[in-house]
Amino acid sequence: MSGLHKKIKTFLLAVLMALPATVYAQTVEYSSRVVDAETGEPLPMATVQGAAESTVTNIEGLFSVKADAGDVLKISYIGYKSVSIKASDIKTRIRLKPADIQLKEVEVSPFTPTLEKIIKKSVKTLQKHHRKRANFLYRQTTEVDGTTSSMVEAFFNAYSTYNVYDMQLITGRYSENDKSPDKSFSHISNLYPLSQILLVSERSMPRFFGSRLMPIFKNYKKYFETDYDIIDDGERKVYSIRFMPHDNLPWAVFDGKVYVDAASLKLLRAEGRMRNVKIKTGYEIAESDTLPADLRFTVNFKEDSKAGEVEYVFVVAEYENTEHKIAFSSILYNVGKRNVGKAIRADYKKDLRLQIDEIGYDRDFWRDNEIVKRTAVEEEIMRKKELSEIERY
């Protein structure tokens, strides 16, 4: 065999040996549903962290994420024990076990000094990283009398350290059945500002967007009673701090829990209700009805971020008008510096969908930027949107 033939044979053998590894390393999409191991109930907004791509579960506990077969995905949810699974081993359901709650007697010192350290550390982090911004996916779904009627998707740019605010619109789209024959929009106008959360403040009396009072600030004892539990999720201990607002406060006020890493004193999550909430509904903001609403929300923070970055804000609200019961849910999910376009300042006094119309609609863009898995109903709503756009052009 000549030297040339030997070189060709060696080259072909090397290529053949490399093929299985190349095929194995191909990135594919993996899907599953995250549920409570004891009840079987879905866990919405569980974090799914991969080597190259991360996401959260939707309201039905479902997620899809692109990964190599050998990548390890970490699925976590505050109050539950996290699991790590190789992508190729993912089944149709991933079960998370509730974390253990310890007796508070193991804490021999009063908790107030610890809470004050938590607040001091959080304020210091905010001061250091207060200019940090990120892009966010926003998805809002509305139900009328139990039937999903409309959907809005958009991307915003906003400040992202502990607080989400100054939301600037990048692009968006909304379902066709959001418009009635007379071209007016139904039921809702601008609900995205409800995702703007000021959880941490340097001020002694923080008031923000409709005078919403949140708990992480120096003078919290003037407005809240507190209690706490200690949760052990198998990896760490977590403080579950209950903030109970005083009676007769005139503002919309937080009533819920804040979760904090007991070792680092880093904020992990806040969840609860806002008391005394009223929202405006209708097409023209100035002419909208102001109605009382039941508003619940969750704010999750990126655990791998030293800047205390918000991972997502999840909002659920319900209200009734004279004819219907309306409910909506929204997710505002941090996509970091993902290139989704140039931001312009959003006008919360002008209907978001009118602002989206001014930007225009790009079908190809939305095919590539789902990020958080849509439910089957949401997919059908947007499929009709796609069909209407095709017919239009």
Side-chain angles (χ1 to χ4, degrees):
M1 183 180 292
S2 69
L4 178 60
H5 287 162
K6 285 182 178 180
K7 289 180 179 179
I8 293 173
K9 183 178 180 181
T10 301
F11 172 75
L12 291 175
L13 181 61
V15 171
L16 289 172
M17 290 178 67
L19 279 176
T22 303
V23 172
Y24 183 75
Q26 284 183 338
T27 298
V28 298
E29 189 170 79
Y30 294 91
S31 300
S32 186
R33 186 191 300 269
V34 181
V35 301
D36 184 304
E38 295 182 356
T39 66
E41 291 296 313
L43 294 177
M45 305 302 120
T47 298
V48 182
Q49 189 170 9
E53 187 174 285
S54 298
T55 187
V56 291
T57 57
N58 65 21
I59 200 166
E60 297 175 346
L62 295 167
F63 74 88
S64 290
V65 65
K66 292 179 181 178
D68 293 342
D71 287 350
V72 175
L73 302 180
K74 183 178 180 181
I75 295 90
S76 59
Y77 191 89
I78 298 297
Y80 288 78
K81 297 179 180 180
S82 62
V83 298
S84 295
I85 307 173
K86 193 162 71 172
S88 59
D89 293 336
I90 285 179
K91 309 299 182 185
T92 56
R93 286 178 181 256
I94 298 172
R95 294 173 172 82
L96 299 188
K97 296 179 180 179
D100 301 319
I101 297 179
Q102 296 186 349
L103 296 175
K104 284 183 287 190
E105 281 71 14
V106 299
E107 293 285 303
V108 295
S109 58
F111 188 70
T112 298
T114 301
L115 181 51
E116 290 175 351
K117 288 180 182 178
I118 292 167
I119 292 172
K120 185 176 180 180
K121 179 180 175 68
S122 301
V123 169
K124 187 176 180 179
T125 299
L126 177 62
Q127 290 172 334
K128 184 177 181 179
H129 301 285
H130 70 281
R131 293 187 180 275
K132 192 171 186 63
R133 299 182 70 99
N135 292 331
F136 289 84
L137 165 70
Y138 178 76
R139 182 178 297 150
Q140 173 187 305
T141 306
T142 305
E143 291 184 1
V144 179
D145 298 329
T147 301
T148 302
S149 62
S150 63
M151 181 175 166
V152 178
E153 288 184 318
F155 279 91
F156 288 92
N157 180 271
Y159 288 109
S160 58
T161 296
Y162 285 146
N163 306 319
V164 176
Y165 65 102
D166 188 33
M167 291 174 66
Q168 298 183 8
L169 180 63
I170 298 172
T171 188
R173 64 176 184 170
Y174 57 88
S175 53
E176 277 304 293
N177 52 342
D178 249 356
K179 284 188 174 181
S180 61
D182 64 355
K183 302 298 181 184
S184 64
F185 296 107
S186 60
H187 296 295
I188 56 174
S189 49
N190 284 7
L191 295 175
Y192 73 90
L194 294 176
S195 297
Q196 299 192 103
I197 300 295
L198 190 72
L199 185 70
V200 179
S201 177
E202 305 170 67
R203 299 169 60 183
S204 60
M205 173 50 186
R207 297 177 67 181
F208 183 74
F209 268 94
S211 303
R212 284 185 278 170
L213 180 60
M214 304 299 287
I216 307 300
F217 65 104
K218 185 176 180 180
N219 203 19
Y220 73 94
K221 286 186 284 188
K222 184 176 179 180
Y223 307 99
F224 297 93
E225 298 294 331
T226 59
D227 195 5
Y228 75 102
D229 288 308
I230 301 173
I231 298 172
D232 187 345
D233 63 11
E235 296 181 355
R236 64 192 170 185
K237 292 181 180 178
V238 175
Y239 292 126
S240 171
I241 308 168
R242 178 82 162 89
F243 286 87
M244 297 161 282
H246 295 165
D247 293 334
N248 302 319
L249 290 176
W251 316 284
V253 57
F254 176 80
D255 183 354
K257 296 179 179 179
V258 176
Y259 297 87
V260 181
D261 187 297
S264 66
L265 303 185
K266 181 180 178 181
L267 300 184
L268 301 174
R269 183 185 183 100
E271 62 182 13
R273 276 183 161 82
M274 294 299 295
R275 291 189 186 178
N276 308 325
V277 170
K278 292 183 177 180
I279 60 176
K280 288 187 174 183
T281 68
Y283 172 57
E284 294 290 348
I285 302 297
E287 300 174 4
S288 296
D289 293 327
T290 300
L291 301 173
D294 178 18
L295 176 66
R296 292 158 282 157
F297 74 92
T298 302
V299 184
N300 219 61
F301 302 100
K302 289 188 171 185
E303 296 193 30
D304 58 354
S305 170
K306 294 181 180 179
E309 273 200 282
V310 171
E311 180 187 18
Y312 66 78
V313 180
F314 178 56
V315 177
V316 178
E318 296 179 352
Y319 66 90
E320 295 185 19
N321 59 22
T322 55
E323 299 177 350
H324 304 284
K325 182 175 181 180
I326 296 95
F328 86 92
S329 63
S330 67
I331 172 72
L332 186 73
Y333 180 68
N334 189 333
V335 299
K337 295 183 178 180
R338 186 183 183 107
N339 184 13
V340 289
K342 185 178 179 181
I344 59 173
R345 185 170 298 278
D347 183 357
Y348 73 93
K349 293 183 179 180
K350 181 178 180 181
D351 194 290
L352 175 62
R353 288 156 289 192
L354 293 178
Q355 297 177 72
I356 289 172
D357 284 344
E358 293 172 359
I359 295 172
Y361 178 62
D362 184 342
R363 294 193 301 273
D364 293 335
F365 173 86
W366 286 104
R367 291 192 188 106
D368 298 331
N369 288 281
E370 180 180 25
I371 301 176
V372 177
K373 186 175 180 64
R374 301 183 189 98
T375 66
V377 173
E378 291 169 346
E379 282 287 0
E380 177 61 19
I381 287 175
M382 284 307 173
R383 188 186 69 82
K384 292 178 180 178
K385 167 71 173 178
E386 292 284 325
L387 290 174
S388 68
E389 291 294 326
I390 292 172
E391 291 172 359
R392 185 174 302 171
Y393 297 102

